[in-house]
Amino acid sequence: MNNKTLTLIKPDDWHLHVRSGAALKSVVGMTATQMGRAIIMPNLNPPVTNAAQANIYREEILSALPKDSTFTPLMVLYLTDNTTPKDIQEAMDNNVVAAKLYPAGATTNSDSGVTNIVKLYPTLERMQKTGMPLLVHGEVTRNEVDIFDREAVFIDEVLRQVVSDFPELKIVFEHITTKNAVDFVRESSDNIASTITPQHLLNNRNDMLVGGIKPHTYCLPVLKRAEHQVALVDAAISGNAKFFLGTDSAPHTKHDKESACGCAGVFSAPHAIELYAQAFDKAGAMDKLEGFASKFGADFYHLPHNTQTITLKKQNWTVPNELEFNGDVIVPFMATKTLNWRLEAPPLDWTPN
Ligand code: DOR
Ligand code: ZN
């Protein structure tokens, strides 16, 4: 590393939404340019609830990749109240790497999610035994719980209990947004890790709400107070391997975001690593980026580090105001803003295989 360029082991994205069909074709090449692998979220409609569906979805992703791409999608099972230990075993036998807990109603396409975690205990038991990680959307959904408190309440009402009932279960507390979550992960055993998004490192709720509502910063779990943002940056740059990269890039059209009932999701896939570089540089911690982006997640999932590298150049550039998406338009995170680092990447060949 010098002050002008930084070469890293190619990163992985441990939490990504790529959708399906034409939408998938619009976005997956962007991640493939930046990342070696990605954990593919299963919240399609209908969701990916068994091994056969995961295999079909994997094939669809592979066939939507740009020519010569070496990108590897890592498939995830969507847990419902009816997921059985046998489903878990079949998923493992088909190279599905994890299962995702969406509390029913917590977010996009979570209607088939879990209504009561206790119903799933036999399934969690099997995951604990086989070493399959549980990926958690950590928010309660009860109407009376304030949206800004839903993650903290989830820790106290659900996660502590699950961790204590399944001490050997590997858990990724996804897209953490609070100091409460940072503290919980730090204090837990090495089985508990977490992903952190670029938007939660670069923004807090003022960025979303002061001076007019900014729908393109709205995601779930929602941005919190500045003190939580500070705790997340601190965790990300700490060199603690429990905290690693997961963008939660979640594409929705501009129209669906700029609406009376705007969809939750921030689209960061095209410039994910540059966004993280922005946050790490601002914190004076560029030397900590490679562990967070390229090593700790792979280590947690017991996968090798990527053999390819990427190079970032210190160079100001402006994020485009919009991009083509699914025959429509999408607004990327930090659109029209200047970022200080740029990925040196060959121009994309957008023609799918
Ligand atoms: O903001 C979000 N968008 N959070 C999620 O949990 C789901 C995601 C999506 O799929 O759009
Ligand atoms: Zn997500």
Side-chain angles (χ1 to χ4, degrees), residues 6 34 94 96-97 112 156 159 167 213 221 271 276-277 283 328 334:
L6 175 63
Q34 298 226 332
N94 283 273
V96 171
V97 300
S112 319
D156 290 334
L159 201 50
I213 193 158
H271 50 336
Y276 284 107
D328 204 321
M334 304 273 281

Side-chain angles (χ1 to χ4, degrees), residues 17 19 43 102 107-108 137 175 218-221 248 250 252 264-266:
H17 301 265
R19 316 301 187 206
N43 63 331
Y102 285 107
T107 188
T108 309
H137 183 111
H175 43 51
Y218 172 63
C219 63
L220 289 170
D248 199 14
H252 295 275
V266 164

Side-chain angles (χ1 to χ4, degrees), residues 117-310:
I117 186 85
V118 175
K119 291 189 190 163
L120 271 189
Y121 267 28
T123 300
L124 299 186
E125 187 73 54
R126 178 65 64 95
M127 291 173 66
Q128 173 169 257
K129 206 158 155 196
T130 52
M132 181 190 261
L134 175 71
L135 314 185
V136 176
H137 183 111
E139 289 190 287
V140 293
T141 56
R142 291 199 317 282
N143 220 3
E144 67 272 20
V145 182
D146 188 278
I147 191 164
F148 292 103
D149 297 333
R150 287 178 175 206
E151 184 174 280
V153 173
F154 182 88
I155 295 170
D156 290 334
E157 288 189 359
V158 183
L159 201 50
R160 275 186 210 290
Q161 191 64 48
V162 172
V163 168
S164 125
D165 291 341
F166 298 95
E168 303 299 324
L169 180 63
K170 285 172 82 76
I171 297 178
V172 184
F173 193 174
E174 299 288 346
H175 43 51
I176 57 170
T177 66
T178 56
K179 181 172 186 308
N180 314 52
V182 168
D183 291 345
F184 177 81
V185 171
R186 276 211 178 102
E187 288 156 15
S188 299
S189 79
D190 286 349
N191 297 334
I192 316 301
S194 61
T195 52
I196 307 181
T197 77
Q199 63 267 25
H200 292 99
L201 294 175
L202 290 166
N203 280 354
N204 60 62
R205 67 193 199 178
N206 275 11
D207 297 297
M208 179 174 63
L209 294 171
V210 172
I213 193 158
K214 318 289 189 319
H216 300 290
T217 63
Y218 172 63
C219 63
L220 289 170
V222 71
L223 294 166
K224 307 295 193 301
R225 290 175 180 275
E227 68 203 55
H228 296 292
Q229 179 190 9
V230 169
L232 292 166
V233 171
D234 213 50
I237 67 168
S238 66
N240 183 334
K242 285 165 158 283
F243 302 100
F244 46 82
L245 185 158
T247 62
D248 199 14
S249 178
H252 295 275
T253 63
K254 177 178 177 177
H255 176 260
D256 285 346
K257 298 279 300 169
E258 297 179 7
S259 139
C261 184
C263 293
V266 164
F267 181 56
S268 58
H271 50 336
I273 195 63
E274 287 103 325
L275 292 166
Y276 284 107
Q278 185 82 10
F280 276 64
D281 199 7
K282 194 163 161 230
M286 285 302 276
D287 59 322
K288 295 292 198 308
L289 183 61
E290 187 176 47
F292 176 85
S294 314
K295 292 181 174 173
F296 301 156
D299 295 343
F300 184 83
Y301 281 86
H302 298 303
L303 291 168
H305 298 164
N306 290 315
T307 50
Q308 292 171 307
T309 58
I310 59 160

Side-chain angles (χ1 to χ4, degrees), residues 303-329:
L303 291 168
H305 298 164
N306 290 315
T307 50
Q308 292 171 307
T309 58
I310 59 160
T311 297
L312 290 163
K313 236 170 100 175
K314 188 138 198 181
Q315 175 194 317
N316 288 352
W317 65 286
T318 306
V319 180
N321 61 340
E322 42 193 49
L323 296 165
E324 190 277 331
F325 171 62
N326 196 8
D328 204 321
V329 168

